[in-house]
Amino acid sequence: MKDIEIGRSGLRGSQIALGCMRIDSLADADLAALLTAARDEGITVFDHADIYADGRCEEAFGRALDAGVVRRDEIVLQSKAGIRPGRYDLSGAHLIAAVEASLRRLRTDRLDLFLLHRPDALVDPDEVAAAFDELHAAGKVLHFGVSNHSAGQIALLAGSVRQPLVADQLQLSVAHTPLIDAGLNVNMASAASLDHDGGTLDYCRLHGITIQPWSVLQHGYFAGSLVGSAEYPALNEELSAQAGRHGVTPAAIAVAWLLRHPAAMLPVVGTTRPARVRELARAADVELTREEWYSLYLAAGNSLP
Ligand SMILES: NC(=O)c1ccc[n+]([C@@H]2O[C@H](COP(=O)([O-])OP(=O)(O)OC[C@H]3O[C@@H](n4cnc5c(N)ncnc54)[C@H](OP(=O)(O)O)[C@@H]3O)[C@@H](O)[C@H]2O)c1
C-alpha cells in the first residue's frame, strides 16, 4: 500500500486507516493480532476519539503501544475531541483537557493529528486558535483538522487558526453519498440536488484538505454493513461482479470505490478482524474504471440527470 500526504502538511500516512472505535471489544491478544495485520499490510494511520467506549479504545491502544505491538514512530496517531454527553464543546479549555487525557490513555507524548470531532454551534474560532497554538507549542499536537465540518465551517476556523487544517473526516460510503450527489444534480429539483454541506468535497479538494471517509461499509447511520445487505441487492450484485473481476472481496471493492475518487481520500476502515483488514487492504491494489465507479453509484440506488 502506498503512502499519501495528509493535506499539504508534509505528514505522510497509508492510503487506508484503521479506525479504532470498536477495539474495546477485543482482548489485548486479539487487538495485537489486529494491529499486526494492519502493520503487515502497510497501514500506518490509526484513528481514535476520546469518546470511543468512554476512552477504553484509547487505553487498549496505549497498552498495545507499550507492549511494542506497533512502534510509535512508525505510525500516524490521530484522535478527536469535542463531543460531550448532551452537547458539543469546542471551547479551548475542553480541547486542551481532552488532548491531555487522550495522550495519557494512549501512553504517548503527542498526537500526529488532532481533529475537532463535530461542529459546535457555540464555537469561538479565536478560542480554538489559542488552544491549537498552546497544544502545538507544547508539542502535544503536530497537525490539526476537523471532522463532520462543512466548507463554511472550515473556512470560519481557517480565518483564525495559525496551523493548516489538513483533514476533514466525513461519513461517506458507496451507500451513503450526500457529499457527492449534489454535485451530480446541479440545477435539478430532485432531493439529490440538495447541497447538505456547502460543497465540502470541492472545498476540500481546492484547499488540499484530505477527506477521511468514515463508516465506509455502513449504510444509513450505523445501520449495518452494506456488504450482503438485503436492502441493496443491485449494489451487492455489482460489488460481487467487480470483486470477481479484480480478484478481491466485495468489501474491498467498496473501499476501492472511495480510493478511485481523484480527491485522494483516506478511508477509515473499522473492522476488528485481522482477516478483514487483510481483505480490505487489497482495495489499494485495485483501480476501478470510470464505468465501474459509476455502475456502483447507480447500483446503490442513485440516478443521474
Ligand atoms: N468522525 C466521525 O464522526 C466518525 C464516526 C464513526 C466512525 N468513525 C471512525 O471510522 C471508523 C470506521 O467506522 P465503522 O466502524 O462504522 O466503519 P465500517 O468499516 O464501515 O464498519 C465496520 C463494522 O462493519 C462490520 N463488518 C461487517 N461486514 C464486514 C466486512 N465484510 N468487512 C469489514 N467489516 C465488516 C465490522 O465487523 P467486524 O469488526 O466483525 O469485522 C464492524 O463492526 C471508526 O473506527 C472510527 O475510527 C468516525
Side-chain angles (χ1 to χ4, degrees):
M1 178 173 320
K2 66 177 185 196
D3 276 2
I4 59 166
E5 185 177 8
I6 302 175
R8 293 172 186 151
S9 59
L11 175 66
R12 298 191 71 81
S14 52
Q15 269 182 297
I16 295 173
L18 183 70
C20 297
M21 181 179 75
R22 305 172 190 270
I23 63 171
D24 61 305
S25 64
L26 299 175
D28 283 3
D30 295 328
L31 176 58
L34 179 73
L35 299 181
T36 301
R39 185 199 62 202
D40 292 349
E41 292 299 334
I43 292 176
T44 56
V45 181
F46 296 91
D47 181 64
H48 285 271
D50 58 347
I51 54 159
Y52 293 161
D54 239 345
R56 290 193 304 283
C57 295
E58 289 184 329
E59 281 169 4
F61 197 92
R63 290 194 297 278
L65 267 180
D66 240 12
V69 176
V70 283
R71 286 173 47 106
R72 179 66 189 89
D73 53 356
E74 290 176 355
I75 64 170
V76 172
L77 190 53
Q78 64 178 41
S79 194
K80 308 184 279 298
I83 301 180
R84 302 181 78 173
R87 64 195 186 281
Y88 299 136
D89 188 349
L90 299 184
S91 65
H94 177 65
L95 295 179
I96 290 169
V99 167
E100 286 172 348
S102 285
L103 294 177
R104 279 194 296 278
R105 286 190 291 268
L106 288 163
R107 304 190 193 191
T108 185
D109 59 349
R110 67 198 185 280
L111 294 176
D112 299 295
L113 185 49
F114 172 59
L115 309 181
L116 303 179
H117 204 157
R118 276 197 174 273
D120 171 7
L122 304 182
V123 68
D124 173 350
D126 291 335
E127 200 182 328
V128 172
F132 280 12
D133 282 346
E134 189 173 326
L135 291 166
H136 192 244
K140 292 175 182 171
V141 175
L142 306 186
H143 301 277
F144 297 87
V146 296
S147 172
N148 303 304
H149 276 61
S150 71
Q153 290 167 331
I154 300 173
L156 180 69
L157 288 168
S160 290
V161 300
R162 260 76 55 181
Q163 301 78 13
L165 297 169
V166 303
D168 191 4
Q169 198 173 101
L170 294 155
Q171 186 177 3
L172 180 63
S173 75
V174 67
H176 180 93
T177 51
L179 264 187
I180 289 170
D181 301 336
L184 290 173
N185 290 274
V186 176
N187 280 338
M188 297 294 115
S190 62
S193 71
L194 290 175
D195 183 350
H196 294 272
D197 50 59
T200 298
L201 173 58
D202 293 336
Y203 181 90
C204 286
R205 293 182 74 180
L206 191 59
H207 293 275
I209 296 169
T210 297
I211 291 179
Q212 299 187 348
W214 57 263
S215 282
V216 298
L217 296 180
Q218 304 283 307
H219 60 95
Y221 189 66
F222 304 115
S225 173
L226 61 93
V227 178
S229 165
E231 289 178 50
Y232 291 89
L235 176 59
N236 274 287
E237 204 175 301
E238 187 61 30
L239 286 168
S240 296
Q242 295 191 19
R245 281 204 296 281
H246 289 282
V248 299
T249 61
I253 294 293
V255 176
W257 186 83
L258 297 164
L259 292 174
R260 174 62 178 80
H261 195 281
M265 296 181 188
L266 201 170
V268 184
V269 302
T271 183
T272 53
R273 302 189 199 193
R276 283 181 169 168
V277 167
R278 287 190 281 271
E279 276 173 28
L280 295 173
R282 297 279 68 73
D285 306 330
V286 174
E287 176 152 354
L288 298 183
T289 63
R290 184 174 290 272
E291 290 68 29
E292 287 172 326
W293 191 92
Y294 273 99
S295 296
L296 288 166
Y297 182 75
L298 295 173
N302 299 298
S303 57
L304 295 172

